[in-house]
Each structure stands twice: as structure tokens, then as C-alpha cells.
Amino acid sequence: MLLKGGGTSAAGDPLHTWGNYRVVGRQPLLAGVSNGWNPEHPNWEHNVHGGPNNESFFDSVVEMVPETIICEAEPTGFARAPVSKKRVWFDARNWMPVAMVTYDRQGLPFRSFDGCYSLYEKNNERFLDGAHPYWSWTYVHAYEFQTGRITRLEQVRELPGGHRTSVNDDSIYEKYLTHIALQRLGRV
């Protein structure tokens, strides 16, 4: 279904923030589309390297994606949006987003995002989503072009406070997503 501004009704943009979509290119790209889970670490954490403190980037596993489709979109209905557009690289084989760059209001690169996905199965280690190995993102690098700041995110087995990765668990909604749960989790 097309919406005003050229957007689509997609679960990835429920507030219809983006519109004026267009394909701007196709190219191969090195991307982390598999094998990024690290069961060798008890908490699934990744080793890091690079930068002044040798901790800027996760040790990454990338492979050549033979063709990506590059799409651009603009914020719609938000005159004061801090970004003027985003460019997203999609793996043409399965439409999985593999990289993204946002641009500031002057059209200069603002932030880039790249990450890695994985089946959570490696050697004799497995993390299941029920009867099957889990498939999900494993880590993300976010780089701010204008400040040089790098943010790393990774999906780990457990966070302080006893919050453990779990999937297909009906109790997650009551534990984390109700108003009462959010108030409880927000207490200091």
C-alpha cells in the first residue's frame, strides 16, 4: 500500500517517518551476514581492536554480498529532522538490510551503521529459539562521521541484574513491555 510521500505501510516504519523512497544504485558489498555469534566467550562477547585504545571495533566476520540494492529515503512531515536522508544497502538475495548511512541537513554523512547477523550455532554450541537454532543480529557498529565517535552494540547472553537473552518466551511481555514493568525497570 502506498502512502503520501511515497512510503509504504511497513512494520519497520509504523509512524511513517520516512518517504520519497528511491533506488539509487546496485553494487557488491562486504557485510556481516553470517557467522558472527561468539559462543567461545561465556557471555557471547566479541573481542575488539582498532582506534587509540584498541577497542573501537568488534573482531568482525564479513563476506562478499554479490549484489546490494541501495535505497534512499527522506524524513517526511518533520521539518526539523536532524537528518536529510538515509541510504540503506539491502542484500538483493533476501532483502536483509546490511548497512545504512544517514546524512545531516547539509547533505554531509552523519552516521553509519553496520552489523552482523548469525545463526546461533557454531561447532558444538547452539542457542535455540525453541526446537531450532536462533537466527538474529549479533553486533552493530555505529560511527558518527562528524565527531569520530564509535558506538558498539552486541547481543549477549546476560546483562547485569539477571536479564538473559530469551526468545519465543510468552513471559517477556509481562516482564518488560507493560506500563508497570517499564516503571519497575526505570527505578534507580
Side-chain angles (χ1 to χ4, degrees):
M1 176 167 121
L2 291 177
L3 301 171
K4 182 179 176 186
T8 60
S9 177
D13 188 12
L15 300 178
H16 309 296
T17 305
W18 297 96
N20 303 328
Y21 291 89
R22 61 197 161 279
V23 174
V24 297
R26 298 170 99 90
Q27 70 181 53
L29 185 76
L30 287 174
V33 294
S34 66
N35 210 18
W37 183 50
N38 188 25
E40 289 85 14
H41 188 282
N43 203 33
W44 307 341
E45 295 173 28
H46 296 82
N47 293 325
V48 293
H49 68 278
N53 297 322
N54 206 29
E55 59 183 29
S56 294
F57 302 97
F58 291 123
D59 289 351
S60 299
V61 176
V62 296
E63 60 187 73
M64 179 62 74
V65 175
E67 181 180 25
T68 59
I69 298 170
I70 309 161
C71 297
E72 285 186 355
E74 299 170 350
T76 57
F78 298 91
R80 295 177 42 205
V83 297
S84 62
K85 68 179 177 181
K86 68 178 175 179
R87 183 175 283 177
V88 182
W89 284 255
F90 294 94
D91 187 329
R93 300 171 294 184
N94 55 20
W95 279 100
M96 184 171 63
V98 292
M100 181 174 85
V101 174
T102 59
Y103 294 82
D104 68 14
R105 293 174 83 172
Q106 288 74 44
L108 299 172
F110 185 48
R111 289 192 178 114
S112 71
F113 302 87
D114 71 89
C116 189
Y117 302 91
S118 187
L119 190 62
Y120 281 54
E121 178 176 51
K122 191 173 185 180
N123 303 326
N124 292 325
E125 300 282 338
R126 296 172 82 189
F127 181 75
L128 304 178
D129 68 0
H132 306 285
Y134 179 51
W135 181 90
S136 186
W137 68 281
T138 57
Y139 59 80
V140 175
H141 298 114
Y143 176 72
E144 294 182 30
F145 288 95
Q146 297 168 5
T147 65
R149 182 177 176 187
I150 297 172
T151 302
R152 294 176 287 124
L153 306 159
E154 64 184 331
Q155 189 169 180
V156 296
R157 181 186 297 267
E158 185 172 359
L159 293 172
H163 304 287
R164 296 182 62 85
T165 295
S166 62
V167 294
N168 293 332
D169 179 353
D170 292 336
S171 71
I172 290 173
Y173 182 79
E174 291 296 326
K175 285 181 187 174
Y176 299 103
L177 299 174
T178 65
H179 286 290
I180 293 170
L182 292 171
Q183 290 171 344
R184 176 180 42 79
L185 292 167
R187 286 190 201 125
V188 177

